[in-house]
Every structure is written in structure tokens, then in C-alpha cells.
Amino acid sequence: CERATLIVGRCTLCSLPWHRSGSHQACTLPCGHMFGLSCIVAELRRRRETPRERRERSECPICRQGAVEQQVRRVFVTAEAGSDELQQRRRREELDAELLREEELRRLAAERRDKAERRLAELQAVAVAQPGATAGALSTPPPVAVLVTS
């Protein structure tokens, strides 16, 4: 029983997710263990037809409680068993995209910081070359006097 609870949403024989309908629909034996329909039907037939296991009744491959193919019951589930995996995959993709955006923002911030540091170094070099100049004077060119004669 422990094995069945560890693989919730998956067939314990093939480890694939169950389906809501079709050949691999979730189904159960009287003991309560769940399998994909095609897997348990094939397993019950194999156990019944194997010479050393030949008997009228087969058994659950997990707990060995007697079972026959006619006792297999389909389980009608409201959601696909694989939906959790799909949600996890989508969340992982969203997280990867978010990490890429964050990395791009860090790169842009580093570029802007480098540009600001270079500009600051240029302004400091000009200030050393022109003592007494103010930041406003460094950023705007001095006015030009024009003499107009007629």
C-alpha cells in the first residue's frame, strides 16, 4: 500500500499518468490499489495465464489480494492526473523567464552605473583642469560675444 500512495496520479505498473478516459483510464481493484486500465488488465491476464501462476483468480500486484478482470472498476476523476506536472512545468518556465528579466535588468543597471561613473570621472577631470568651475559651468558652454558692425 505504501508504494501506491507514493505514486499518486500515476499507474504503479508503468509510472505513466492516468487519464480521465480511454485505455489508460484510472481504475481500481477491490483492494483499493489504483492502476491504468490497460496495465492492470494485461497484468491480471498475464498472471492468470503464466504456467506457474495459472489459477482461476489472479491477484493485485501490490498486496496479492485475489482479483479478476471483472472486478476492475473505472475511477472517474475530475482533473487529469498530469495537471500538477503541467502546472509545475509552467511555473518553472515563468520562473526561468523572470530570472532572465532580472538578469537583463542587472546588466542594464551595471551599464548605466558604468556610464555614470565615466561621466563623473570626466567632470572631475575638468574640475581639476579648471579650478573654481561649478557643475553648472561645466555642463553648459560659456556664452559667446558677437560683435556686429555695419
Side-chain angles (χ1 to χ4, degrees):
C1 185
E2 187 175 323
R3 183 175 173 200
T5 58
L6 290 175
I7 309 177
V8 175
R10 294 182 171 275
C11 173
T12 56
L13 295 174
C14 71
S15 297
L16 293 175
W18 303 315
H19 300 290
R20 284 194 254 181
S21 61
S23 66
H24 207 255
Q25 180 175 354
C27 66
T28 185
L29 293 177
C31 61
H33 289 112
M34 294 181 68
F35 307 92
L37 180 62
S38 57
C39 291
I40 193 57
V41 167
E43 180 66 12
L44 291 174
R45 287 179 185 167
R46 185 195 66 75
R47 287 173 179 263
R48 192 179 69 237
E49 295 168 1
T50 302
R52 73 166 212 255
E53 295 185 27
R54 190 172 301 218
R55 43 184 97 122
E56 279 185 37
R57 290 177 59 91
S58 189
E59 58 190 23
C60 172
I62 295 175
C63 69
R64 306 287 184 231
Q65 181 178 330
V68 292
E69 192 175 329
Q70 292 79 11
Q71 293 175 312
V72 174
R73 297 289 177 248
R74 294 173 187 255
V75 176
F76 298 94
V77 294
T78 57
E80 288 288 333
S83 65
D84 287 341
E85 290 178 16
L86 182 60
Q87 286 178 343
Q88 286 178 353
R89 188 175 337 122
R90 286 181 182 156
R91 287 181 187 142
R92 211 172 295 125
E93 289 170 357
E94 289 172 1
L95 179 59
D96 289 343
E98 186 67 27
L99 290 172
L100 286 174
R101 281 192 296 272
E102 184 178 331
E103 186 177 309
E104 178 65 14
L105 288 173
R106 286 178 193 231
R107 187 188 63 75
L108 287 172
E111 285 178 7
R112 289 180 179 169
R113 183 183 58 245
D114 292 345
K115 184 177 178 181
E117 288 172 354
R118 283 192 305 271
R119 180 69 178 139
L120 179 61
E122 290 172 4
L123 291 174
Q124 288 173 339
V126 170
V128 169
Q130 299 175 3
T134 63
L138 294 176
S139 61
T140 57
V144 177
V146 178
L147 179 62
V148 179
T149 58
S150 33

